[in-house]
Amino acid sequence: MAKRSVIRKGSKAISEVSAGAGDFVKISDGDAIDMASLLNLDEMLSVDQHAIWLEGGNSPMFPCIGKDCPGCELGNGARFRAFLPVYLIKEGNMVKLFSFGISIARALEELDEEFGGLAGNVFRVKRKGTGLNTTYTVVALGKKTKVDEDDIPDDIEEKIGPTTRKTILALLEETGAIEDLVEEDEDDEEEEEEEAPPKKKKKKKKKAKPKKEEEEDEDDEDWDDV
């Protein structure tokens, strides 16, 4: 069986989901952002993402890596997350990475089908609410902008987050999201072995006393070793 890729390419992943600052687009409550995708949805990258929300901010987010995933071990549910590079129209086509969940993904899928390709088409995303009470609306603005291929970032995968157990654990430790999830070391294994109940000793059969001649031979050997 082929190994399942952590990062997927294309819009097919949208239909597989059950009815979830810096270089990224940030939309606050009540904001409406006009943007245009630099790619069509068949080039979109997506993951099942763990997000561990901390009260003080600095919440770590990273892809679910499946086997030995720290996020799964913490009992944190992973949700669909997609990533598209976009132009921010009102900021003079500034390039940012737009990260979004399944509801926006499905809305963009409709626009992609309507336009025969999402790249270059301008749409508006409006946010209302915060936390679990957040809703988004996506509408096409009937405008189009030319996409310069040189503007398409080549480091999108790096911005999605760490994709190995070691790097995810480092992120969790750095952000203070985890304190007690540690690798089992050799000392722990030795302690477990020491705590294991002792095996029952087999009764040894009494050996017959050696003959006098054999005792003399053993004495000779002992002296030879001195």
Side-chain angles (χ1 to χ4, degrees):
M1 182 181 292
K3 184 179 179 181
R4 182 175 178 272
S5 176
V6 172
I7 299 175
R8 304 177 292 262
K9 185 174 183 180
S11 61
K12 183 181 178 182
I14 298 174
S15 61
E16 295 176 351
V17 176
S18 299
D23 298 322
F24 289 82
V25 176
K26 184 177 180 181
I27 308 177
S28 301
D29 180 20
D31 283 352
I33 306 293
D34 295 350
M35 60 185 86
S37 174
L38 277 65
L39 301 172
N40 294 319
L41 283 194
D42 60 357
E43 300 172 290
M44 176 187 73
L45 299 182
S46 65
V47 299
D48 293 322
Q49 185 188 66
H50 288 289
I52 301 178
W53 302 105
L54 304 177
E55 291 183 2
N58 200 28
S59 301
M61 300 180 187
F62 52 91
C64 177
I65 59 173
K67 184 181 179 183
D68 297 327
C69 177
C72 294
E73 292 175 4
L74 287 170
N76 179 269
R79 293 188 176 185
F80 175 91
R81 202 75 188 167
F83 302 85
L84 276 176
V86 297
Y87 285 137
L88 298 185
I89 304 303
K90 293 182 180 180
E91 282 72 31
N93 284 6
M94 177 188 295
V95 178
K96 291 280 187 175
L97 192 59
F98 183 36
S99 170
F100 49 91
I102 190 60
S103 60
I104 292 179
R106 286 177 175 144
L108 293 179
E109 186 178 40
E110 292 181 6
L111 295 185
D112 187 69
E113 293 175 357
E114 179 182 342
F115 295 138
L118 189 63
N121 286 286
V122 181
F123 55 91
R124 176 173 295 165
V125 179
K126 184 174 182 178
R127 173 177 177 169
K128 183 178 181 180
T130 59
L132 297 176
N133 296 318
T134 302
T135 58
Y136 294 91
T137 56
V138 180
V139 294
L141 298 183
K143 301 177 183 178
K144 193 165 184 176
T145 185
K146 186 178 179 180
V147 174
D148 186 342
E149 292 186 0
D150 292 336
D151 289 337
I152 301 174
D154 56 6
D155 59 348
I156 298 176
E157 292 189 18
E158 297 175 14
K159 292 182 170 65
I160 291 176
T163 56
T164 67
R165 179 177 176 83
K166 182 177 180 180
T167 53
I168 291 172
L169 287 173
L171 173 65
L172 293 175
E173 182 178 355
E174 178 186 350
T175 55
I178 180 174
E179 293 180 355
D180 56 353
L181 183 64
V182 295
E183 298 277 10
E184 185 178 55
D185 55 31
E186 293 180 0
D187 292 338
D188 292 336
E189 292 176 358
E190 289 175 1
E191 288 177 4
E192 290 177 2
E193 290 176 0
E194 290 173 2
E195 292 173 0
K199 295 181 179 179
K200 291 182 179 180
K201 295 182 178 180
K202 294 181 180 179
K203 292 183 179 180
K204 295 183 178 179
K205 294 182 179 179
K206 291 183 179 180
K207 294 183 178 179
K209 290 184 179 181
K211 295 179 181 179
K212 189 174 181 180
E213 293 179 0
E214 292 176 350
E215 290 178 350
E216 292 175 353
D217 290 341
E218 288 178 1
D219 290 340
D220 292 340
E221 290 174 2
D222 291 339
W223 280 109
D224 290 340
D225 292 337
V226 174

